[in-house]
Amino acid sequence: MTQLAAAPTPSVRVRAPGKVNLSLRVGAPQDDGYHPLVTIFQAVALVEEVTARQVPEGAGVQLTVEGPQSERVPLDETNLAHRAAVLLAERVGVAADVALHLAKGVPVAGGMAGGSADAAATLVACDALWATGLSRDDLLGLAAELGSDVPFALLGHTAVGTGRGHLLTPAMTRGEFHWVFATRDDGLSTPEVYGRFDEQADGAHDPELSEDTALMQALRAGDPHALGAALHNDLQDAALSLRPDLERTLDVAREAGALGVLVSGSGPSVAALARSRQHALAIAATWTAEGAADAVWCTSGPAPGARLLA
């Protein structure tokens, strides 16, 4: 008698991008403790891949991780992917039973929203696996509950973020931009960076998008030289005061001819804009030779948001 093979366990694989803040403008904290932001995100082709697989009823959320620095990723309910699966299950009334495998491609704790990309990918993957049928707007609403950067990981490409960074408006861009990132093995605490920003701020005002007119024009023109000149991060001085060694990383990139260089988000990653892919590789090699980074990553942007893979 021929024995039939067991049917494969249903699974879904989703890819979501990391990001760089081309501009990050921060206002004084409000009564709820949040800082009002105006930021311009660009998704980059350093990606997280999440595979969601069905498990027996009552198994709960099971997490596994692979990739660079995966030992630094929590595997409990503090993980954003775990929280995303539970939130979606609660909202649609299904059991939160799923095995999630995270393949890391975004530096961990580097201000590039790798955890947020995991959460966005998990929302898309579990929505498909459980056939919940939520709209992308529904998923964006759930993403905003999980964290300020999660909605952008769903949207991708380039966008203006306001509020806590979670209210998004797509930005018109032309062409491809080449990036290289210098990362450090030891991270920076985002709350600590914001706390130092508050200490240093002298009457911080509510940020306005009009302050980034030159940057938006550079994106529309596809002009990397103009974009490099317009990069901005209000948190950079705070990050540098906590990690003075990052100043050398910035200087080495400038000496290597970067069109623009800045601390990415709350750090400690440093992002440099290059003229071309070859120039990005040259900046990366210089960072390595000078010992100004623990790891370097070359990539490009903009990249698409969270999407199902065949």
Side-chain angles (χ1 to χ4, degrees), residues 8-300:
T9 302
S11 65
V12 174
R13 189 160 58 103
V14 175
R15 179 177 292 164
K19 59 85 180 173
V20 58
N21 295 82
L22 307 177
S23 177
L24 177 57
R25 298 187 183 273
V26 183
Q30 299 172 320
D31 292 341
D32 60 5
Y34 286 105
H35 294 74
L37 305 178
V38 172
T39 185
I40 302 170
F41 296 109
Q42 183 162 98
V44 296
L46 296 176
V47 299
E48 304 281 287
E49 285 192 6
V50 173
T51 301
R53 181 174 51 83
Q54 286 188 355
V55 294
E57 184 176 350
V61 178
Q62 304 170 5
L63 272 178
T64 53
V65 185
E66 66 171 318
Q69 302 176 316
S70 57
E71 70 281 356
R72 300 175 61 188
V73 178
L75 299 179
D76 57 15
E77 63 277 1
T78 64
N79 186 290
L80 269 177
H82 188 294
R83 291 172 52 198
V86 170
L87 178 63
L88 177 60
E90 290 176 346
R91 198 58 49 90
V92 300
V94 302
D97 296 323
V98 64
L100 299 172
H101 181 71
L102 316 182
K104 304 291 294 179
V106 178
V108 176
M112 296 179 65
S116 295
D118 289 334
T122 297
L123 288 174
V124 174
C126 290
D127 173 65
L129 186 72
W130 297 333
T132 58
L134 294 182
S135 68
R136 186 52 66 111
D137 283 345
D138 292 332
L139 293 177
L140 282 168
L142 293 175
E145 295 182 39
L146 291 163
S148 299
D149 290 337
V150 183
F152 179 70
L154 273 175
L155 182 67
H157 302 287
T158 307
V160 176
T162 56
R164 302 192 312 273
H166 67 297
L167 302 174
L168 300 174
T169 304
M172 185 183 302
T173 62
R174 179 177 297 163
E176 182 180 42
F177 299 95
H178 297 277
W179 294 96
V180 56
F181 293 89
T183 61
R184 296 289 185 170
D185 291 339
D186 48 337
L188 264 174
S189 162
T190 297
E192 190 175 1
V193 173
Y194 272 96
R196 182 60 59 89
F197 169 81
D198 291 337
E199 293 171 7
Q200 294 177 339
D202 182 16
H205 65 287
D206 287 340
E208 299 285 346
L209 181 58
S210 60
E211 298 174 275
D212 287 311
T213 299
L215 192 151
M216 297 295 286
Q217 291 173 339
L219 289 171
R220 287 194 295 271
D223 185 341
H225 291 81
L227 179 62
L231 298 175
H232 179 83
N233 184 1
D234 276 348
L235 296 181
Q236 181 162 301
D237 287 346
L240 291 175
S241 71
L242 294 166
R243 288 288 300 274
D245 58 307
L246 295 179
E247 190 69 67
R248 176 61 179 151
T249 308
L250 295 168
D251 288 342
V252 169
R254 295 184 186 109
E255 292 162 7
L259 302 180
V261 59
L262 79 173
V263 173
S264 181
S266 58
S269 297
V270 170
L273 182 62
R275 296 186 301 271
S276 63
R277 180 177 179 275
Q278 291 73 20
H279 186 213
L281 292 170
I283 295 171
T286 303
W287 266 337
T288 300
E290 294 289 335
D294 293 321
V296 293
W297 311 66
C298 294
T299 189
S300 62

